[in-house]
Amino acid sequence: MKDSQGPLWEVFVQKKAGQPFVHCGSLHAYDKEMAIENARDLYTRRSEGSALWVVPAAAIVASSPEDAGSFFEPSNDKVYRHPTFYQIPEGVKYI
Amino acid sequence: MDNVVDVEKNFNSKLEKNDFVEPKDWMPENYRKHLIRQISQHAHSEIIGMLPEGNWISRAPSLRSKIVLLAKVQDEGGHGLYLYTAAETLGASRDELLGALHTGKAKYSSIFNYPTLTWADIGAVGWLVDGAAIMNQVMLQRTSYGPYSRAMIRICKEESFHQRQGYEIMCRLCFGTEEQKEMAQDALNRWWFPTMMMFGPPDKDSPNSEQAIKWRIKRETNDELRQKFVDRTVAQVEFLGLTIPDKNLKWNETKKGYDFSEPDWSEFYSVIKGNGPCNKERLEARNKAHSDGAWVREAAIAYAEKKKENILAA
Ligand SMILES: [Fe+2]
Ligand SMILES: [Fe+2]
């Protein structure tokens, strides 16, 4: 959307090294530097993170919720992908 | 492609299951409109709310109170931004939303049209106004629209110091000199009823709110929230040794809650219409901040364009 506020960016925060980056919200900024600085000021005022990603919202490709059923369907009938599908005789340990 | 009946059924079943509605989900046009209006009004309230408190930053009585107030006002600015982006996920643009605020077309909470006359008002605002806002916002953490709910969860985390710093100011004044205590009582006298108005008109006069409850945008009614607020606040007032300016305030054993007077709703409607003590000042200050910042936005756009060219040239 054309706006005097600059393009929209999505912000992802990593709490501690090693943890996943989690989406926390979005913001407007005119360029990358401003986006990352705004993200720091807006989303990590209380040391919520140790690393940040900002991504132009326009670059994100999202699955569509209406098609979620058929889109994710292939994994629904594959119970054999879970460990509980397999029977291990009693007494066998560490498996 | 699903037909309209199916998507509507899907939407309703989401509400029934307390699932969240996300930006790309199908939703009734009126649900979308209601949310854009409510979330943007909420955002406007956050940033207009910076003004009455900002009024005291330069005159805070100590360095400690100054950094606390600065941090609080900065938080409110952040709350506005979280909420604007939540409203934008529904297809509204920031310029459109700000334009509606600046021309007076959009509303914001009537409470911010009252002046902060003394330092005690900063205590009363943090304690009562943020207290009332928190009550509303805690409920909204469970609102049905995902981005609104997530913004509320962040906001509630940050709010927790806002109310406490206000009550701390009240404590200092109430356990200080006689004069300071009088100042605190005066602030309570002026802020009590405007705070009660923050929950909105009585349920019987609030047709929008019934629909909002059906859509699970709101989870509790105006009157329920107001009652809860009074029930929780009375003991805090008593601890300070202050008196709530309401002769009808009385414990009611059968309902296990307080009876109290309704605020003057004609005052509420008149303030909303623009006739509060500070409506004009607030709108002027906001418009001035926005137009004074125009050159910054223009320069930032120009700079971003220039850098884009450089990348292409390299
Ligand atoms: Fe806030
Ligand atoms: Fe607050």
Side-chain angles (χ1 to χ4, degrees):
Chain A
M1 198 158 305
K2 192 72 187 154
D3 207 297
S4 76
Q5 309 285 320
L8 196 65
W9 304 71
E10 299 298 333
V11 182
F12 299 79
V13 177
Q14 185 190 40
K15 223 182 197 162
K16 270 196 260 162
Q19 292 189 353
F21 282 76
V22 178
H23 181 248
C24 66
S26 44
L27 52 80
H28 286 270
Y30 299 96
D31 57 40
K32 292 181 195 174
E33 287 80 15
M34 193 182 279
I36 197 106
E37 283 170 8
N38 285 358
R40 175 200 59 198
D41 294 345
L42 189 55
Y43 289 105
T44 59
R45 282 199 300 284
R46 289 172 176 77
S47 358
E48 288 92 337
S50 60
L52 274 175
W53 285 349
V54 286
V55 180
I60 290 179
V61 183
S63 64
S64 81
E66 295 103 76
D67 303 334
S70 58
F71 189 71
F72 293 106
E73 200 278 328
S75 74
N76 288 346
D77 58 352
K78 297 179 179 60
V79 283
Y80 47 86
R81 284 173 176 169
H82 298 276
T84 45
F85 179 74
Y86 301 92
Q87 285 179 3
I88 301 294
E90 222 165 292
V92 179
K93 284 178 179 172
Y94 310 120
I95 186 158
Chain B
M1 188 62 200
D2 296 329
N3 63 41
V4 180
V5 183
D6 279 348
V7 288
E8 185 148 20
K9 233 200 230 155
N10 196 347
F11 172 82
N12 288 327
S13 88
K14 235 176 229 160
L15 296 185
E16 270 159 38
K17 286 187 289 187
N18 280 323
D19 275 354
F20 291 103
V21 178
E22 293 296 335
K24 291 190 148 193
D25 291 345
W26 182 90
M27 59 187 87
E29 227 13 69
N30 285 334
Y31 175 83
R32 183 187 299 276
K33 274 196 199 133
H34 185 111
L35 276 171
I36 291 177
R37 188 175 48 86
Q38 179 172 332
I39 300 173
S40 62
Q41 277 180 12
H42 196 160
H44 301 331
S45 303
E46 299 283 352
I47 60 168
I48 293 287
M50 297 167 81
L51 298 170
E53 289 183 297
N55 180 34
W56 277 90
I57 290 174
S58 62
R59 291 175 288 156
S62 69
L63 186 58
R64 181 184 185 271
S65 51
K66 188 191 285 240
I67 53 174
V68 167
L69 188 55
L70 261 173
K72 179 187 189 289
V73 172
Q74 187 189 11
D75 272 352
E76 305 302 1
H79 297 174
L81 294 177
Y82 304 154
L83 288 161
Y84 282 124
T85 46
E88 286 168 82
T89 62
L90 292 156
S93 86
R94 180 76 60 94
D95 280 349
E96 202 174 283
L97 299 175
L98 287 176
L101 171 64
H102 294 153
T103 53
K105 207 183 122 212
K107 303 290 173 217
Y108 53 85
S109 179
S110 65
I111 193 84
F112 300 118
N113 291 313
Y114 292 86
T116 43
L117 302 177
T118 72
W119 177 248
D121 289 29
I122 298 305
V125 167
W127 167 39
L128 298 172
V129 175
D130 284 66
I134 290 168
M135 200 143 273
N136 187 41
Q137 292 177 151
V138 164
M139 160 193 80
L140 288 171
Q141 291 183 99
R142 295 175 297 129
T143 190
S144 58
Y145 187 56
Y148 194 22
S149 155
R150 291 191 285 274
M152 282 301 121
I153 291 168
R154 282 194 76 82
I155 287 178
C156 284
K157 250 187 224 156
E158 301 189 350
E159 287 288 358
S160 54
F161 100 77
H162 295 183
Q163 191 183 16
R164 293 173 69 115
Q165 64 85 33
Y167 197 67
E168 191 190 82
I169 293 174
M170 295 305 276
C171 287
R172 291 221 164 164
L173 294 173
C174 291
F175 301 110
T177 66
E178 206 39 53
E179 223 180 341
Q180 285 175 317
K181 190 167 179 182
E182 269 167 35
M183 214 163 94
Q185 181 65 56
D186 169 62
L188 175 61
N189 292 347
R190 284 180 289 107
W191 288 95
W192 179 255
F193 282 111
T195 302
M196 302 282 277
M197 295 175 194
M198 285 177 70
F199 300 101
D203 296 347
K204 60 176 170 43
D205 303 321
S206 181
N208 276 347
S209 103
E210 202 186 317
Q211 183 58 58
I213 296 242
K214 268 190 203 141
W215 278 328
R216 295 192 188 262
I217 293 174
K218 292 183 66 158
R219 314 293 302 245
E220 288 164 87
T221 72
N222 299 353
D223 287 336
E224 284 165 359
L225 287 168
R226 195 166 12 249
Q227 180 71 51
K228 213 176 180 179
F229 176 78
V230 175
D231 291 346
R232 290 193 183 176
T233 308
V234 171
Q236 297 167 2
V237 178
E238 284 168 355
F239 178 84
L240 295 171
L242 298 179
T243 313
I244 291 174
D246 178 1
K247 283 191 247 53
N248 297 319
L249 187 99
K250 201 170 74 234
W251 178 253
N252 179 332
E253 185 57 31
T254 38
K255 77 170 184 188
K256 295 270 179 240
Y258 285 90
D259 290 330
F260 54 87
S261 310
E262 290 281 314
D264 176 359
W265 292 112
S266 63
E267 176 181 321
F268 172 78
Y269 290 114
S270 147
V271 174
I272 290 235
K273 261 194 215 119
N275 306 317
C278 300
N279 296 57
K280 203 166 156 266
E281 192 184 323
R282 300 288 183 246
L283 218 53
E284 275 170 9
R286 186 82 263 295
N287 271 292
K288 183 173 183 306
H290 192 69
S291 51
D292 286 355
W295 72 270
V296 180
R297 293 190 293 278
E298 281 156 24
I301 293 173
Y303 182 65
E305 290 295 323
K306 198 171 129 197
K307 276 207 303 195
K308 238 184 258 164
E309 282 165 26
N310 285 345
I311 292 165
L312 294 178

